[in-house]
Amino acid sequence: MTSRRPRSRLSQVAAGLREFYAGPYRRTFARARRDEDDLFLVLVMAEALGVPNPVSYYTVELLPAVYDQFHDWHRRMGMDRSPLDSISCC
């Protein structure tokens, strides 16, 4: 039991330092991550959106992984319905 104490204190200090440095920028980090996720989704869905994609052979394997994010993406982009006929998420 005594061997866990220093580790838990160390993890508490690490959590405190993470909160101190990253806390004020949490919203900025979340926005940057969302923008990167949106760009990745558009790259994967490019062929379905009508944009020629030279790497569509590789991105077609990722389509099942992004189907769950597609609904949130088109709602965030201001589209009430799915812009694709092949994907009817709502």
Side-chain angles (χ1 to χ4, degrees):
M1 182 155 185
T2 58
S3 64
R4 289 186 171 206
R5 259 186 160 172
R7 183 173 282 177
S8 89
R9 286 189 184 208
L10 185 60
S11 66
Q12 288 176 350
V13 169
L17 286 174
R18 188 177 309 115
E19 181 65 26
F20 178 76
Y21 286 111
Y25 306 106
R26 187 171 292 131
R27 183 178 291 174
T28 304
F29 290 149
R31 186 178 304 133
R33 181 178 178 164
R34 190 181 67 212
D35 290 346
E36 288 179 3
D37 289 345
D38 286 348
L39 178 63
F40 178 73
L41 182 77
V42 168
L43 288 175
V44 171
M45 302 291 291
E47 195 73 29
L49 293 170
V51 178
N53 187 2
V55 292
S56 64
Y57 177 76
Y58 301 105
T59 58
V60 76
E61 295 179 5
L62 298 172
L63 284 175
V66 297
Y67 277 146
D68 294 338
Q69 301 169 0
F70 185 75
H71 177 73
D72 294 334
W73 174 77
H74 79 75
R75 298 285 293 188
R76 203 169 35 250
M77 294 296 129
M79 296 177 255
D80 293 334
R81 293 288 193 182
S82 171
L84 304 174
D85 294 334
S86 60
I87 300 174
S88 59
C89 56
C90 48

